[in-house]
Amino acid sequence: MYKDKRVEKKKTVVMKRCLNPVFNESFIFDIPTEKLRETTIIITVMDKDKLSRNDVIGKIYLSWKSGPGEVKHWKDMIAHPRQAVAQWHQLKA
């Protein structure tokens, strides 16, 4: 998201019939330095159903103004451009 507008969307593979899925995927976003301050990466985990509507399991917001763990991840990504920066996050409802 940039200035409350969705700029790009990426999806993981769908984990079928799995109550405890583990996602080990990486995404690359090319964000100009001057836009970082107003950019937020939103990760949403959803339960996909065929017969009913899809439910949001949880979300995480990565930006310079998120919670302490998310801000640390954000700063690590900025300090190491073009390098993989991995960190576990707990989803929020």
Side-chain angles (χ1 to χ4, degrees):
M1 302 285 288
Y2 176 69
K3 292 186 176 181
D4 297 326
K5 184 176 179 183
R6 185 168 71 192
V7 178
E8 193 170 350
K9 180 179 179 177
K10 297 188 180 190
K11 289 185 175 185
T12 66
V13 297
V14 174
M15 302 286 194
K16 295 182 179 181
R17 298 179 190 89
C18 183
L19 294 176
N20 296 303
V22 175
F23 298 95
N24 189 17
E25 299 188 35
S26 61
F27 296 101
I28 297 171
F29 296 95
D30 191 19
I31 304 168
T33 306
E34 65 274 4
K35 292 185 177 182
L36 281 174
R37 191 138 180 93
E38 297 187 62
T39 299
T40 301
I41 297 173
I42 302 170
I43 299 169
T44 306
V45 178
M46 303 200 57
D47 176 30
K48 185 174 181 177
D49 294 313
K50 286 185 179 182
L51 301 176
S52 63
R53 56 183 274 243
N54 300 335
D55 299 316
V56 174
I57 295 173
K59 290 185 179 191
I60 185 112
Y61 295 83
L62 294 176
S63 75
W64 67 272
K65 56 186 175 186
S66 301
E70 294 87 351
V71 169
K72 180 190 178 309
H73 194 173
W74 190 257
K75 288 179 179 178
D76 287 347
M77 289 188 294
I78 291 171
H80 302 94
R82 309 247 181 257
Q83 294 180 18
V85 178
Q87 183 174 329
W88 285 98
H89 293 282
Q90 188 169 355
L91 295 173
K92 296 176 173 87

